[in-house]
Amino acid sequence: MEKLRIAIIGAGAAGCVAALKASQCADAQITLFEKNKRIARKLLITGKGRCNLTNNCSVEEFIPNVVSGGKFLYSALNRFTPENTMEYFTSLGVELKTERGRRVFPASDRALDVKDALEKELLKRSNLTVLYQKVTSISKKDGIFTVKAASTPYSFDRVIIATGGKSYPKTGSDGDGYCFAKAFGHTVKPPKASLVPLVCKERFIKELEGLSLKNVTLSLSNGKKTVYKDMGEMLFTADGISGPLVLSASAHTRDLEKCSYSVSIDLKPALDRSALDKRLLSDFAKYQNKDFSNALGDLLPKKLIPVIIALSAIPPTKKVNLITKAERATLSELLKDLKLTVVATRPIDEAVITAGGVSLKEIDPKTMESKLCPGLFFAGEVIDADAYTGGYNLQIAFSTAAVAAESSTFLKKDGANLLF
């Protein structure tokens, strides 16, 4: 009996896991296509080179962190859970650790260790071949798929598209998966940058470049309501803001052409306005003979002080014992509600992930198979599903890849998790 021929396009996080999972079927021959000279290039830069593999949470806790496609992903996440991901990479010899926010990293803090573990495992599988060739087209006739790469046509019974989105195109995610999907009649929601720094119009931003803030609360409004709010870390860039809080907030700025977005930063979330006023009075009493410009060192980072003073319109040379209650209220308002106007996101090639992709309405959530073309499957960022920072997006890649691989090889066992 001839083996089932399965092609997987793209050797990123999703593609590698799909290949390893599919290769467990002894009756299948797997070919993994990768346009780069090495696998998992984008994986090497995730988590700032540390590789935030997943989030150590339950599926019920996971879903609220999915911005788009939560309902669709429920089945896949239950079939291959964050716990399964941790168990799998541990079995590959990658020691893991869980940090703040339940983020899971390799204990070595080296994304390279994750990539090497995957590469080593791929080489072990006798029924798995990795071809470092760029796929230029995929077609189907008489039930057989033809994958053309390096001017050579290859024949397959099943195809899994795991090409990623359009973020960080230098790693290979240049959007070719969308073209393959469209060739089979699929609808592709226009890709947009997500988990990306925001550009703001305020001139004082430049003065704050490089300043990192911790334990602040950031709120994002679309002009009508608050669409995101959380406490954590952020930083100022040359033209705007970035950092974990900002990247997650950016997932809600997909209608910049239609909506006016603004950011509010609470610099002192642990203090309500009454408590903050008491703190100001205490600091001012401590520095009662000092100029206003020299009385904020206990309250704010040095780089932020000139900006807050300018925004408050309180003369920097005014003695703090002469500052009025009204001026103090203005200062308090600034500290609790420092406003920024969002005018754009940074380009998509600087985004951590891509929002948009192959329409979920055209994919079976239980199998990741195309509803338009039997035998065609999707996995990872190429589909229209994305989440906040914190390991959620890599988990989506792993879960959808495991389901696609299992379904394409007919190994599915009802009610069982997809363990390796």
Side-chain angles (χ1 to χ4, degrees):
M1 186 176 100
E2 291 188 5
K3 287 191 174 184
L4 184 68
R5 300 164 299 175
I6 299 176
I8 299 170
I9 318 301
C16 287
V17 167
L20 290 171
K21 183 62 185 174
S23 68
Q24 285 190 310
C25 177
D27 295 325
Q29 180 62 47
I30 315 302
T31 304
L32 176 60
F33 290 90
E34 173 52 49
K35 67 173 67 174
N36 294 310
K37 294 180 180 179
R38 300 296 294 272
I39 69 164
R41 283 190 62 185
K42 188 175 179 182
L43 196 68
L44 292 175
I45 62 175
T46 61
K48 296 182 179 179
R50 297 174 61 215
C51 192
N52 185 184
L53 273 173
T54 186
N55 193 279
N56 192 357
C57 66
S58 67
V59 173
E60 287 69 27
E61 294 168 319
F62 191 105
I63 295 296
N65 290 283
V66 178
V67 180
S68 177
K71 184 177 180 181
F72 173 89
L73 292 168
Y74 190 80
S75 177
L77 289 167
N78 273 288
R79 297 283 288 159
F80 194 75
T81 68
E83 183 179 4
N84 295 152
T85 293
M86 291 185 284
E87 290 173 353
Y88 179 61
F89 281 98
T90 298
S91 75
L92 294 185
V94 181
E95 185 181 349
L96 303 177
K97 62 179 178 179
T98 300
E99 297 188 354
R100 184 179 56 80
R102 301 180 297 198
R103 290 168 165 84
V104 178
F105 294 90
S108 65
D109 285 329
R110 284 165 40 95
L112 184 62
D113 291 346
V114 178
K115 190 274 292 184
D116 286 348
L118 288 170
E119 196 165 42
K120 183 178 179 181
E121 195 67 16
L122 288 169
L123 292 172
K124 289 181 181 179
R125 307 298 172 91
S126 60
N127 62 337
L128 195 164
T129 302
V130 182
L131 292 182
Y132 293 96
Q133 299 175 3
K134 177 180 173 62
V135 172
T136 54
S137 68
I138 306 172
S139 58
K140 185 181 182 184
K141 184 178 181 181
D142 297 330
I144 300 298
F145 289 92
T146 298
V147 174
K148 199 168 187 179
S151 300
T152 302
Y154 299 87
S155 297
F156 296 97
D157 304 295
R158 308 278 189 274
V159 172
I160 300 174
I161 296 177
T163 50
K166 289 195 72 172
S167 58
Y168 293 118
K170 291 182 180 179
T171 66
S173 298
D174 57 8
D176 52 2
Y178 305 140
C179 297
F180 300 148
K182 287 179 180 178
F184 289 97
H186 276 278
T187 303
V188 175
K189 187 175 180 180
K192 293 186 178 182
S194 189
L195 305 190
V196 65
L198 299 176
V199 179
C200 302
K201 78 172 186 179
E202 282 71 21
R203 293 182 179 179
F204 64 74
I205 286 288
K206 182 64 178 175
E207 299 174 43
L208 300 176
E209 182 180 359
L211 174 63
S212 178
L213 299 177
K214 297 182 179 181
N215 300 318
V216 297
T217 295
L218 182 145
S219 302
L220 177 75
S221 170
N222 63 3
K224 296 180 180 179
K225 63 179 181 179
T226 298
V227 293
Y228 175 83
K229 184 176 182 179
D230 202 2
M231 177 187 281
E233 300 179 20
M234 61 167 288
L235 63 91
F236 290 91
T237 64
D239 60 1
I241 51 179
S242 188
L245 279 177
V246 176
L247 297 185
S248 288
S250 73
H252 296 276
T253 61
R254 295 170 190 179
D255 295 317
L256 270 167
E257 301 86 357
K258 303 176 183 177
C259 301
S260 297
Y261 291 93
S262 63
V263 164
S264 169
I265 304 169
D266 185 345
L267 298 166
K268 299 295 173 182
L271 303 174
D272 61 22
R273 279 173 169 72
S274 175
L276 180 56
D277 190 53
K278 290 179 181 178
R279 168 65 189 274
L280 290 173
L281 285 170
S282 176
D283 281 12
F284 288 175
K286 180 179 178 181
Y287 299 107
Q288 59 180 316
N289 295 318
K290 297 281 188 177
D291 291 347
F292 179 46
S293 61
N294 296 321
L296 299 176
D298 294 347
L299 194 67
L300 296 170
K302 185 177 180 181
K303 209 167 192 177
L304 190 55
I305 292 174
V307 171
I308 293 296
I309 288 175
L311 293 172
S312 74
I314 301 172
T317 56
K318 188 172 186 176
K319 301 298 181 183
V320 291
N321 59 353
L322 297 178
I323 290 178
T324 67
K325 182 178 180 179
E327 289 173 324
R328 214 168 57 243
T330 298
L331 176 59
S332 179
E333 184 65 21
L334 278 171
L335 299 178
K336 297 293 290 182
D337 185 19
L338 179 60
K339 294 184 182 299
L340 300 172
T341 307
V342 179
V343 294
T345 66
R346 291 294 299 169
I348 195 169
D349 58 4
E350 295 180 25
V352 176
I353 60 161
T354 307
V358 181
S359 173
L360 302 183
K361 295 179 181 179
E362 299 165 358
I363 303 171
D364 185 337
K366 294 182 179 180
T367 63
M368 299 308 298
E369 185 173 18
S370 165
K371 293 180 180 179
L372 309 183
C373 178
L376 180 67
F377 299 80
F378 297 95
E381 195 179 340
V382 71
I383 68 174
D384 182 21
D386 60 278
Y388 294 139
T389 58
Y392 301 105
N393 289 288
L394 269 182
Q395 181 61 48
I396 290 171
F398 298 143
S399 294
T400 55
V403 170
E406 193 88 343
S407 303
S408 68
T409 54
F410 304 111
L411 290 175
K412 181 179 177 182
K413 295 179 180 180
D414 291 337
N417 280 10
L418 303 183
L419 301 177
F420 283 78

